Amino acid sequence: MNDTPRSVVIKGTGSYTPANIKTNNDLASTVDTSDEWIFTRTGIKERRIASEKETASDMGASAAQRALEAAKLEASDIDLVIVATITPDMPFPSTACLVQTKLGITNAVCMDIEAACSGFVYIMEVAASMIRSGRYQHALIIGTEKLSSILDWEDRTTCVLFGDGAGAAILGPLETPGVGLLDFTLGSDGAQGDVLYMPGGGSANPATADSLNDRLHFLKMRGREVFKLAVKVMEQAAQEILEQNGLEPDQLSCLIPHQANLRIIELLSSRLNVPMERFYLNLEKYGNTSAASIPIALDEAIRSGRMASGDYTLLVAFGAGLTWGAALLKTP
Ligand code: ACO
């Protein structure tokens, strides 16, 4: 447990999801799948799809605007912007710099961090540490994804799982010790990088006519392996952070897991022996939105009153890399 007097707390959250809904039945009209197959294997019913012109930075800026309003802060109060995304508007400049300009934030350090679906938990720890150092006051952290732009819409094993959206939080200091973002545990295992990746578009396979023909610019996944690894590392991260803080799973009022697959979350629930009712779930509506998944769920959980004063909340994620992480929160 971090015992420095300067707590770092969530000052406000916001989220944004595109209006366009793609249902399982819509997908069944383009690939060989069915609502029944998708729902029973994943718990997903529908997902949001951004318009052609809408970018990760547009969605991130919309979520961030709502977070600023909730925090009752102005763009001029923000001195740090960190974005987690695997679908940046472009390789550079960073999506954080693009969001900065869209929101009129003039005096901030801006950067992107890439840890796939674990990205939001990663940037939360980075931002919290920078605020705790005393050098930064208010961080805007954003998970935003336009996964529809890297999905192979002819591959039924992947295109049914993902969706678009963004979530944001403003973090800031509080001189009351022992509340807010209490602790983190993060992990990575690059040896598992080939279970989930996108081969094209970087320096290994720059865009060429061949790379397009070979469909290298789409997400590739070995679903069964990802499933097993996900259950293992999410349980490990959750147990580790609880142990580090002398807490039992039963003391958690709310768990916000990465919203990838209901069956993964059900296994986590039984392994931790925490009932499913304590888990905040929205994957039925949005599918897996990668780095946006946890902050969208966090925003909905806070706005629906799921995190009362004194409650312990656990955020727990896994993603490509392989990466994983957990954050322990105590509502002030
Ligand atoms: N519709 C119908 N049939 C399908 C579909 C589909 N959409 N997709 C696959 N199938 C078929 C397969 O071809 C296979 O057919 P076969 O037996 O004739 O070969 C059969 O269904 C079973 O396929 P499996 O892959 O074994 O199905 P499984 O029960 O493992 O479910 C799933 C697949 C849903 C992908 C599951 O493995 C999973 O959720 N894995 C985790 C994925 C995940 O969470 N990824 C996100 C990672 S986070 C990030 O960083 C982006």
Side-chain angles (χ1 to χ4, degrees):
M1 177 111 42
N2 191 304
D3 56 1
T4 55
R6 201 170 211 235
S7 291
V8 176
V9 298
I10 297 174
K11 301 270 182 179
T13 58
S15 58
Y16 169 85
T17 52
N20 180 26
I21 296 173
K22 201 187 251 299
T23 65
N24 291 348
N25 284 327
D26 293 335
L27 283 167
S29 68
T30 56
V31 285
D32 182 13
T33 191
S34 63
D35 175 48
E36 200 265 334
W37 193 96
I38 301 169
F39 187 65
T40 53
R41 302 278 175 136
T42 70
I44 300 165
K45 274 273 176 203
E46 58 190 41
R47 68 286 296 141
R48 302 299 177 97
I49 303 294
S51 68
E52 209 176 314
K53 291 223 161 69
E54 199 168 30
T55 65
S57 72
D58 291 332
M59 292 188 283
S62 298
Q65 189 58 52
R66 290 171 189 175
L68 278 171
E69 284 158 17
K72 300 192 173 54
L73 290 170
E74 305 293 329
S76 56
D77 295 315
I78 302 297
D79 53 6
L80 176 65
V81 181
I82 312 184
V83 169
T85 184
I86 55 169
T87 48
D89 290 21
M90 54 192 91
F92 64 89
S94 69
T95 301
C97 281
L98 299 174
V99 169
Q100 176 193 21
T101 308
K102 284 179 181 165
L103 292 178
I105 298 172
T106 50
N107 194 14
V109 169
C110 304
M111 63 178 136
D112 288 2
I113 287 181
E114 203 269 82
C117 305
S118 312
F120 192 77
V121 178
Y122 270 56
I123 63 174
M124 203 176 224
E125 169 146 40
V126 172
S129 306
M130 291 174 78
I131 294 169
R132 246 180 220 121
S133 76
R135 289 162 71 96
Y136 297 87
Q137 277 296 307
H138 290 115
L140 165 61
I141 58 170
I142 303 170
T144 182
E145 300 285 10
K146 187 176 179 179
L147 294 171
S148 59
S149 67
I150 58 162
L151 290 177
D152 184 345
W153 291 101
E154 293 177 13
D155 175 9
R156 68 177 182 173
T157 68
T158 53
C159 75
V160 303
L161 302 174
F162 299 96
D164 300 334
I170 315 282
L171 307 183
L174 190 73
E175 298 306 327
T176 315
V179 292
L181 314 183
L182 295 186
D183 201 8
F184 294 90
T185 178
L186 305 179
S188 313
D189 180 5
Q192 309 286 355
D194 62 350
V195 295
L196 182 55
Y197 68 116
M198 189 172 94
S203 55
N205 296 296
T208 60
D210 283 345
S211 76
L212 285 178
N213 284 332
D214 295 341
R215 308 184 86 72
L216 299 188
H217 300 272
F218 295 127
L219 171 155
K220 316 278 178 196
M221 184 181 71
R222 300 214 300 273
R224 275 193 182 186
E225 276 145 283
V226 174
F227 191 103
K228 284 188 221 143
L229 287 166
V231 176
K232 185 175 137 214
V233 298
M234 292 231 284
E235 184 195 358
Q236 185 185 310
Q239 298 284 18
E240 199 170 286
I241 202 165
L242 289 170
E243 217 165 280
Q244 273 167 207
N245 291 276
L247 291 174
E248 294 299 324
D250 192 45
Q251 291 174 265
L252 296 170
S253 305
C254 182
L255 291 91
I256 303 181
H258 173 44
Q259 312 276 318
N261 183 316
L262 184 62
R263 289 188 300 143
I264 293 175
I265 298 168
E266 283 170 346
L267 278 168
L268 184 66
S269 153
S270 81
R271 293 197 182 179
L272 294 177
N273 199 19
V274 175
M276 280 302 282
E277 302 80 69
R278 303 243 188 117
F279 284 75
Y280 189 85
L281 299 173
N282 63 14
L283 83 172
E284 187 169 333
K285 295 187 290 180
Y286 305 130
N288 178 350
T289 56
S290 190
S293 151
I294 286 190
I296 295 173
L298 176 66
D299 180 48
E300 292 186 353
I302 288 176
R303 285 174 194 262
S304 63
R306 283 286 294 267
M307 290 163 63
S309 179
D311 279 359
Y312 287 109
T313 298
L314 183 76
L315 314 183
V316 58
F318 72 96
L322 197 74
T323 58
W324 60 89
L328 181 66
L329 279 49
K330 186 175 184 184
T331 313

